[in-house]
Amino acid sequence: MTLVLTEFESKKLIGKAGIEVVETRLARTCGEAVTISKEIGFPVAMKINSPDIIHKSDSGGVKLGLNDPDGVERAYREIMGAAASRHPRAEIQGVTVQKMAPPGIETIIGVSRDPLFGHVIMFGLGGVFVEVLKDVAFRVVPVTGKDAREMIEEIKGYPLLQGYRGRDPVNIAAVENIILKISDFAEKNPEVVELDLNPVFACADRAVAADARIILAAKNHVNL
Amino acid sequence: MPVISKFFEPDSIAIIGSFREGFFGSHVMIKTLREAGFKGDIYPVNPSYREVLGIRVFPSVAAVPAGIDLAFIMVGCDTVPMIIGECASKGVRAVVVVSDGFAERNEKGARLQEEIVDIARRAGIRIIGPNTAGIVNTANGFNPCPYEAGYSKIKEGPVAICSQTGMTNPQAYPYADLGYGISKICDFGNKCDVDECDLLEYLGNDPATGVISMYLESIRNGRRFLETAKRVTPRKPVLVLKSGRTPEGARASASHTGSMAVDDRIFDAACRQAGIIRLEKFSELFEVPKIFALQPPPGGNRLGIVSYTGGVGVLATDEALKYGLAMARLTDDTAETLNSIFPGLGETPVDLGPVAAARAAGFMDLYPRVLEAVSADGNIDCLLNIIWSNSSAGESEEIYLNLYRKLKRNCPKPLVTWLYGSSLANTARLARKLEEMGFPVYSDLEAAVKSLGIACRYRIQVRRKGGNVNDPCAD
């Protein structure tokens, strides 16, 4: 029996663990979505928030780069409409309104449970790097600072993080820090079955998690 | 004394089995033990015999008139639980189950194996096996090999071999012919109880062991393996060959051992964290430890190469870079010395081909000067020497041997050698003589370079971790 936390719940936990997360708030109505987007500032992203919808973008539940209140209203209606038609039985808690992630290189940090070694942590570059090239590094939790650094250096795409063709290098220490904090989080929470920060934007000055998903081994409700 | 040490350092052993003569069995075991020089008490147990090889046979374990440190059980698998029960009553704490017919055979055998583990746990007995023949401790002549291997004595040295296959036991591997020495050998067999972690712990603390070479098909407890290895690797190198590196191999391995398939990516990560050096081939279990057993640790990763052909020098360069070695540049002094011996010689890889061709008969007089100059070069941390054993082997062989004798006294850097030539008999003879002198000779060029690379990598790893290597390998 597992419990899939919503993006909103997952980000709350990750944020509490000391990891920088893009500002994400929950809107239960269209009006709330507009108010929140004005407060956090355009452009914003909006995503369906439902414990029953895991693949949000495949279900028409994600709208990015919304620049004004009209766009937000339209996006709200479209997201809700798609959810109602494709997942009629899903429990819909609303939509999350999020600040658009800063420009950076997409990376992935994840945790899974190996039957032999327990929690293992993974790091890689996002997109085709992980999907097609499987360019990822693993370590058994808990990891040391040295392990985290070696994981980052181990992937073939590492030169992209160091800055190539005149681009600024990303803040590797900030990525390292997230790896360490996620390792710590997994160690303190043995009930974590799976955790995905995908993507984490590695920028010149910082690293920010733009999406999060946590799956727990749980029988009952978990207090957040 | 921890129980595991009773498997290697017993003062008294019981051997329960048939004492009929043959190429395998308890009879051979007693013979091998005596020839190997084991001084402990041996108590053969079997109700149908009075005496074997001049030793009194006892009708039961209970009838043995003294304490028993270690029992070898070599009876039909169905009788094993009963014998372990007798060992329990006698207060035996360590048992090797040589018999087969357990989890490796079928369901019934698997249940039988569970039964013996259960009896042993309740009695506080540790088991190695079942389905194993392999334990050796060279320090006390403890070689209870139950097969006629054609030899019983194994040279003492720092290499410990641990494995989950009988392929590394004395009847399967020519230990008597090795140029380097062995500390302990252990074959886990079906690994029903004593496992890789117990052995890592024991060998990690064993002063006679300087390097541990392990073949594994499964891991019993991933966390414990990681933690144990972490403690051992700063003190001595741990080399691991694990089968099942592909998903297909992992499945085959899991079904062979009846244990959980290991995700190789995760195992690899754990090895990195633990400082374990992973091997890729069976032959490396025996080839890679040689560098640790016979040579001083390298002071750095700058490799010097002396070769008879340019091509081989280039191949060696390719390999060297793969394993983190850097090509050394000769100092101006060395370059000048070499150039004065022969124009153009002062560059690494040092290519002897043109000199040999030009000087013909006089070449072997020049040869020692070249190798001595290169080995003394301050820019070189480790050395690969490629020897051509020519047809007039007798004369040149003496020159090589004298030179190596001199290097043994004067050269504090690790030196690996690869030999080639037109006669297998000549190259094999020279290789053996060099190894007996303490210089590792490799079966192929790549293995020679890789071993040096691994030695350098281990050295760097230990320095980074601030570990304290007392180098029991280097004398």
Side-chain angles (χ1 to χ4, degrees):
Chain A
M1 180 68 195
T2 56
L3 177 66
V4 182
L5 302 188
T6 63
E7 177 183 355
F8 187 65
E9 293 166 326
S10 302
K11 277 180 167 170
K12 243 181 172 172
L13 285 178
I14 295 301
K16 270 193 199 164
I19 291 160
E20 192 182 339
V21 173
V22 293
E23 188 178 352
T24 302
R25 286 159 65 181
L26 186 61
R28 287 175 183 82
T29 65
C30 188
E32 267 181 33
V34 172
T35 312
I36 291 169
S37 57
K38 281 180 186 159
E39 280 170 21
I40 64 178
F42 295 101
V44 295
M46 284 168 68
K47 299 181 192 172
I48 188 76
N49 201 65
S50 161
D52 303 318
I53 303 174
I54 294 171
H55 301 291
K56 299 184 286 276
S57 50
D58 297 350
S59 318
V62 177
K63 302 281 173 188
L64 302 175
L66 307 166
N67 287 310
D68 50 45
D70 281 355
V72 168
E73 280 180 27
R74 202 165 41 247
Y76 185 90
R77 282 195 303 272
E78 283 172 14
I79 289 173
M80 286 304 188
S85 67
R86 296 191 200 182
H87 299 276
R89 287 168 199 279
E91 177 200 339
I92 307 294
Q93 296 170 343
V95 295
T96 55
V97 180
Q98 316 187 4
K99 213 171 170 64
M100 281 298 290
I105 295 176
E106 271 189 49
T107 67
I108 292 178
I109 295 169
V111 171
S112 58
R113 242 179 2 196
D114 180 76
L116 201 54
F117 287 95
H119 276 146
V120 293
I121 189 163
M122 181 203 87
F123 169 77
L125 297 189
V128 293
F129 291 97
V130 63
E131 284 161 22
V132 181
L133 303 175
K134 314 265 183 263
D135 184 18
V136 293
F138 291 92
R139 288 295 182 275
V140 177
V141 168
V143 299
T144 62
K146 180 177 162 283
D147 293 329
R149 170 61 62 134
E150 284 177 359
M151 286 176 83
I152 298 169
E153 289 174 357
E154 198 175 302
I155 60 167
K156 291 193 186 72
Y158 176 59
L160 295 176
L161 299 175
Q162 288 176 300
Y164 72 108
R165 291 198 177 171
R167 277 168 222 239
D168 283 337
V170 308
N171 186 339
I172 288 172
V175 179
E176 228 177 276
N177 188 39
I178 297 185
I179 293 175
L180 284 172
K181 285 194 165 136
I182 288 295
S183 166
D184 195 45
F185 180 82
E187 200 189 3
K188 286 186 181 136
N189 297 284
E191 66 274 26
V192 171
V193 174
E194 216 178 295
L195 182 158
D196 277 301
L197 302 187
N198 181 16
V200 172
F201 284 96
C203 316
D205 57 339
R206 62 202 171 121
V208 192
D211 199 349
R213 187 169 68 125
I214 297 176
I215 301 176
L216 301 174
K219 294 161 201 84
N220 308 309
H221 181 72
V222 173
N223 266 328
L224 295 175
Chain B
M1 184 158 107
V3 180
I4 299 296
S5 51
K6 289 189 188 289
F7 285 101
F8 296 93
E9 306 154 47
D11 289 327
S12 58
I13 63 168
I15 300 173
I16 302 112
S18 159
F19 294 96
R20 200 178 52 219
E21 284 185 48
F23 76 94
F24 169 80
S26 313
H27 186 269
V28 183
M29 186 182 274
I30 294 177
K31 224 172 78 187
T32 316
L33 277 167
R34 286 178 139 193
E35 284 169 13
F38 179 63
K39 296 282 185 291
D41 297 320
I42 300 174
Y43 300 106
V45 174
N46 188 316
S48 320
Y49 290 76
R50 284 285 179 79
E51 194 189 282
V52 56
L53 294 161
I55 306 177
R56 183 176 162 201
V57 179
F58 296 88
S60 66
V61 176
V64 172
I68 298 166
D69 281 344
L70 173 64
F72 284 89
I73 302 181
M74 266 184 285
V75 300
C77 55
D78 293 323
T79 318
V80 173
M82 189 190 87
I83 303 290
I84 293 187
E86 287 183 20
C87 288
S89 312
K90 180 74 182 164
V92 180
R93 302 284 310 282
V95 168
V96 178
V97 180
V98 181
S99 318
D100 61 0
F102 291 87
E104 86 286 357
R105 184 163 300 164
N106 52 26
E107 266 304 306
K108 181 175 162 275
R111 281 196 300 278
L112 202 56
Q113 187 165 313
E114 278 168 32
E115 190 185 338
I116 66 169
V117 170
D118 198 48
I119 297 169
R121 289 263 151 84
R122 277 188 273 121
I125 291 176
R126 298 302 308 268
I127 297 179
I128 289 185
N131 187 24
T132 176
I135 288 193
V136 170
N137 179 4
T138 54
N140 58 359
F142 188 55
N143 178 8
C145 183
Y147 290 91
E148 286 283 8
Y151 68 93
S152 54
K153 283 197 164 63
I154 297 171
K155 189 171 155 187
E156 264 186 82
V159 181
I161 305 280
C162 258
S163 111
Q164 209 168 335
T165 170
M167 284 297 291
T168 56
N169 291 342
Q171 80 277 4
Y173 203 83
Y175 286 98
D177 296 327
L178 299 182
Y180 59 94
I182 298 289
S183 61
K184 310 278 188 297
I185 301 170
C186 179
D187 163 16
F188 304 118
N190 291 7
K191 209 162 79 174
C192 79
D193 177 30
V194 171
D195 64 15
E196 57 281 351
C197 293
D198 296 309
L199 259 292
L200 267 182
E201 195 89 62
Y202 171 71
L203 295 171
N205 292 320
D206 175 29
T209 296
V211 47
I212 301 166
S213 195
M214 249 186 189
Y215 168 72
L216 297 175
E217 295 192 337
S218 64
I219 308 286
R220 262 161 48 113
N221 180 333
R223 288 271 153 177
R224 190 177 159 222
F225 180 71
L226 179 60
E227 292 311 318
T228 311
K230 263 188 193 168
R231 284 196 298 275
V232 178
T233 57
R235 284 179 281 148
K236 41 191 95 171
V238 176
L239 315 169
V240 173
L241 174 70
K242 192 186 71 62
S243 61
R245 303 202 316 159
T246 58
E248 287 76 9
R251 273 195 296 277
S253 206
S255 75
H256 179 201
T257 58
S259 51
M260 203 183 301
V262 183
D263 182 332
D264 197 67
R265 297 169 309 169
I266 310 299
F267 181 71
D268 200 66
C271 287
R272 285 168 195 263
Q273 282 171 279
I276 289 171
I277 299 159
R278 276 195 84 175
L279 303 177
E280 293 172 294
K281 296 193 282 189
F282 185 75
S283 60
E284 289 175 351
L285 279 172
F286 297 93
E287 291 239 295
V288 176
K290 290 202 282 202
I291 184 86
F292 293 104
L294 300 175
Q295 290 290 291
N301 70 338
R302 296 169 304 174
L303 171 68
I305 299 174
V306 178
S307 166
Y308 275 90
T309 76
V312 167
V314 175
L315 278 176
T317 304
D318 281 345
E319 284 301 305
L321 297 185
K322 241 174 28 193
Y323 300 108
L325 296 167
M327 297 312 292
R329 288 178 65 102
L330 298 174
T331 60
D332 292 346
D333 280 357
T334 311
E336 214 173 283
T337 307
L338 296 186
N339 285 330
S340 72
I341 293 172
F342 193 82
L345 194 61
E347 260 181 69
T348 47
V350 177
D351 183 0
L352 295 167
V355 200
R359 295 289 159 85
F363 169 71
M364 281 314 285
D365 299 333
L366 297 176
Y367 180 83
R369 282 168 57 201
V370 176
L371 199 62
E372 280 180 278
V374 175
S375 65
D377 189 296
N379 282 353
I380 288 176
D381 300 311
C382 49
L383 200 62
L384 165 67
N385 187 34
I386 295 162
I387 289 182
W388 172 46
S389 151
N390 64 13
S391 53
S392 59
E395 295 159 44
S396 59
E397 190 173 296
E398 261 323 295
I399 294 172
Y400 287 129
L401 291 172
N402 280 332
L403 174 61
Y404 271 72
R405 255 175 230 124
K406 219 165 153 190
L407 288 173
K408 175 131 179 111
R409 286 194 303 273
N410 304 333
C411 180
K413 302 168 188 177
L415 164 62
V416 296
T417 304
W418 180 58
L419 285 163
Y420 70 98
S422 55
S423 155
L424 262 186
N426 286 354
T427 50
R429 188 179 60 241
L430 181 52
R432 191 175 171 139
K433 286 182 178 171
L434 289 177
E435 282 216 336
E436 274 166 6
M437 207 188 283
F439 290 98
V441 179
Y442 289 86
S443 57
D444 62 46
L445 170 71
E446 291 80 3
V449 177
K450 183 173 181 178
S451 297
L452 265 186
I454 285 177
C456 284
R457 205 184 282 168
Y458 178 68
R459 201 66 188 166
I460 291 165
Q461 169 188 318
V462 168
R463 288 226 182 102
R464 276 203 195 132
K465 288 214 166 118
N468 172 23
V469 184
N470 48 10
D471 283 321
C473 290
D475 54 16

